[in-house]
Amino acid sequence: MAVLVVSFIFSMIFYLALTAGSGTAFYYWSSSELITGVFFSLIAAVLAKKLIGSSGIKPGWQFMNPIRWVKFLVFAFGPFLYNLTKANIDVAGRVITGRIDPGIVKVNTGLKNDFGLMLLANSVTLTPGTLSVDADSKRNLYVHCINLENKDRKCDNVCGSFIKWARRITE
Amino acid sequence: MIPYEFFLMSGFLAVLVITSVLRAFLGRTSPDRLVAADTINTLTVAILVLLGAAYENIMYIDVAIVYAMLSFVTTLFVSKHLEGGK
Amino acid sequence: MINEVLYAIMGIGMFFQMMGTLALHRFPDVYTRVHGATKCTTFGSMFLYIGVMAYSALMYFSGDAVYLSMALHIFIVMILILLTNPTGAHAIARAAYRSGVMPVKAKVDMLKGAKL
């Protein structure tokens, strides 16, 4: 049930964003677009319910919590944006000079659900000198670092504060 | 600002696409070629957005949205195939 | 004045796109190439889209109604690129490792022999 409602709401928001400015009937959207949007969002929601139900994941209502959204926005515009900028200047410098010192290290995340792991892996891929390569069944992340010289070879400080943020957002 | 600069920038991006195609030809292993293809997809979406702004046509940007989604699915499926296709 | 700011933003974007493409030729193996290509092209695309969005907003305030929905659509493209690009990079890296391409010049490799 939760999957149905959540995916319906998100696909409806996506459809409304795509067709904004199409008419004047409902303040901004034309009524035929609204009806079509509800219809196709229902189809998408039923398909998503079938797909997620067959994969064995059981998501609850946790995505509808507005506090999580606020936390996510704070994370995205605060530490994430800062680290993204730093990473890109760093990598552009490495492209020019060609100085690399790569290696694959293991990171103990200790996260409790897969959504947090996905958030952590995506943000790790976009930030300084790290690229998530693989994950095992205990949710340990294997991270490829482009430059290991300044860091501890055990590398708990690879991800910086991202593990804390992922735990704060999703648990 | 006239759209002339937009055409200039999309031309530059097209040159970058050709540079990536060179890697897709030269690349020694198959994942190398896949990385080159992924880069080409990202650059193509950027070119579409620039052309849409230059021609004042929303259709280009809708095509860019669909292209981004489809290229993502393509990358996932080709990498699944390289992995061993279970 | 405002045109120069737009040119500067888009110029930064083009610079990072160029770096991302050059990374494909400068780095020795797949993993480092994924580093360069994914990060730099995502960041460069973001700057480029921010520039085009600012241009659309400017044109909207000078009286063309099409440009508002154009800015909204470009924002959707930006969110999509930001979500899908790192996922694709992760998939490529995992496929490369599982198909037996080892990292060149790696000092540490904790994934070798790890139980997955």
Side-chain angles (χ1 to χ4, degrees), chain B residues 25-41:
Chain B
F25 275 123
L26 291 177
R28 221 163 292 128
T29 59
S30 330
D32 275 329
R33 299 173 211 273
L34 186 55
V35 175
D38 199 36
T39 312
I40 291 171
N41 287 332

Side-chain angles (χ1 to χ4, degrees), chain A residues 67-86:
Chain A
I67 299 171
R68 288 182 204 276
W69 296 355
V70 173
K71 277 179 188 168
F72 178 74
L73 283 183
V74 168
F75 168 67
F77 284 101
F80 180 70
L81 203 61
Y82 169 68
N83 276 315
L84 183 64
T85 315
K86 212 173 67 179

Side-chain angles (χ1 to χ4, degrees), chain A residues 8-27:
Chain A
F8 175 75
I9 289 173
F10 275 101
S11 46
M12 194 67 203
I13 289 174
F14 189 63
Y15 193 87
L16 288 185
L18 275 180
T19 59
S22 62
T24 50
F26 214 106
Y27 188 66

Side-chain angles (χ1 to χ4, degrees), chain C residues 5-73:
Chain C
V5 173
L6 284 184
Y7 287 149
I9 289 174
M10 290 189 200
I12 292 171
M14 299 304 283
F15 172 75
F16 277 107
Q17 302 269 40
M18 194 177 76
M19 282 302 140
T21 318
L22 280 186
L24 286 177
H25 295 273
R26 287 279 294 169
F27 285 157
D29 69 329
V30 186
Y31 302 98
T32 42
R33 274 173 197 159
V34 172
H35 268 285
T38 307
K39 272 180 211 132
C40 289
T41 47
T42 309
F43 195 64
S45 302
M46 267 178 65
F47 260 93
L48 212 57
Y49 297 158
I50 287 172
V52 180
M53 270 162 70
Y55 168 76
S56 312
L58 213 65
M59 294 299 282
Y60 173 69
F61 285 125
S62 68
D64 202 342
V66 182
Y67 280 101
L68 184 62
S69 48
M70 181 177 282
L72 194 62
H73 284 214

Side-chain angles (χ1 to χ4, degrees), chain C residues 50-107:
Chain C
I50 287 172
V52 180
M53 270 162 70
Y55 168 76
S56 312
L58 213 65
M59 294 299 282
Y60 173 69
F61 285 125
S62 68
D64 202 342
V66 182
Y67 280 101
L68 184 62
S69 48
M70 181 177 282
L72 194 62
H73 284 214
I74 295 172
F75 185 70
I76 291 173
V77 175
M78 196 170 90
I79 297 291
L80 269 181
I81 288 288
L82 205 56
L83 278 180
T84 59
N85 238 344
T87 316
H90 166 69
I92 293 171
R94 199 173 79 152
Y97 201 92
R98 293 200 177 173
S99 66
V101 180
M102 289 296 132
V104 181
K105 288 201 289 185
K107 299 270 176 58

